[in-house]
Amino acid sequence: MSFFGFGQSVEVEILLNDAESRKRAEHKTEDGKKEKYFLFYDGETVSGKVSLALKNPNKRLEHQGIKIEFIGQIELYYDRGNHHEFVSLVKDLARPGEITQSQAFDFEFTHVEKPYESYTGQNVKLRYFLRATISRRLNDVVKEMDIVVHTLSTYPELNSSIKMEVGIEDCLHIEFEYNKSKYHLKDVIVGKIYFLLVRIKIKHMEIDIIKRETTGTGPNVYHENDTIAKYEIMDGAPVRGTTEGTGHQWKWSSPISTELVLNWGESIPIRLFLAGYELTPTMRDINKKFSVRYYLNLVLIDEEERRYFKQQEVVLWRKGDIVRKSMSHQAAIASQRFEGTASLGEVRTPSQLSDNNSRQ
């Protein structure tokens, strides 16, 4: 990188101390592609070196100071000129002067609080990054390196089941039941569906997982709905009939078999595995800028193409079941104690973790 023919060209590189051992995680970029970044958790120390390599050792590089920053920021795509920083840490690496040879500067941000999960959505991006800056009179030299942060949650103390009814008077009565209302990202949604009354011809039924991203406040609120998963329950109308010795029954074609027979009042099982889908934890009112919520959406379509909907919110959370040796003591405590007293979605700060450790 040269500066209008003046001064010296320099290559800047940010290197993490534990780069060889630290886990990487895939994360979606703005253009929809997936890239791997170093993975961090709340409370972990971020340390490394800023390496400066002079391209021409016969010339000096004058500067007004060298620094590195650790930044967490939210960018709303409709307001790209304003970056909302919720974490901003700075370390000065060198005072104003000149560099005559290639060298490296050590840095360390100890037990950094990272309160939110990294996220790239339709209208908003939450990112964490390191930024090294060489201040110069004409043009600063800037190098950035993004990282990914995952937030670990505890097991929910209360996790009640969900019951939903879909009904049209004298025409339709269907009951749904799900085993719980809060699921971790690798969980399985287990449920049952009861056909109690069917007098309309249903040709299709499915359950969708809907992600709803909400950005902005007041009159400038934007909602983006994205269908993450579809689970087909039936294809073809259930037909009430009788079979000797069994009483009333429903019959319909299903994804599993060409015809499925069910006694009146009995249930069909539902098992929806979440591990195969691109999901994030539920995010509510993040820094008063955006939210991400998930819903189970029941869809029924009759033979006249009329659609019936029933929607229920569920909470998704990231299970803290893996502890890496390279994690700091505070982050290790956070991931190991997911059966502790913290509520679902609560992120423990380093001071809280230290207090918990001192009480043991």
Side-chain angles (χ1 to χ4, degrees), residues 288-302:
K288 298 182 179 179
K289 293 294 184 293
F290 74 97
S291 298
V292 179
R293 288 179 163 88
Y294 290 88
Y295 298 85
L296 292 177
N297 190 43
L298 171 66
V299 182
L300 291 82
I301 305 175
D302 66 16

Side-chain angles (χ1 to χ4, degrees), residues 113-132:
E113 292 192 34
K114 312 171 194 71
Y116 311 123
E117 175 136 345
S118 299
Y119 177 75
T120 302
Q122 298 290 331
N123 291 316
V124 63
K125 176 171 66 177
L126 188 154
R127 63 186 285 242
Y128 294 86
F129 60 97
L130 290 162
R131 179 166 63 201

Side-chain angles (χ1 to χ4, degrees), residues 93-135:
L93 302 179
R95 295 179 179 180
E98 58 183 36
I99 297 174
T100 58
Q101 60 184 356
S102 300
Q103 62 185 109
F105 300 90
D106 293 327
F107 69 87
E108 180 176 87
F109 296 101
T110 306
H111 306 321
V112 182
E113 292 192 34
K114 312 171 194 71
Y116 311 123
E117 175 136 345
S118 299
Y119 177 75
T120 302
Q122 298 290 331
N123 291 316
V124 63
K125 176 171 66 177
L126 188 154
R127 63 186 285 242
Y128 294 86
F129 60 97
L130 290 162
R131 179 166 63 201
T133 304
I134 304 175
S135 299

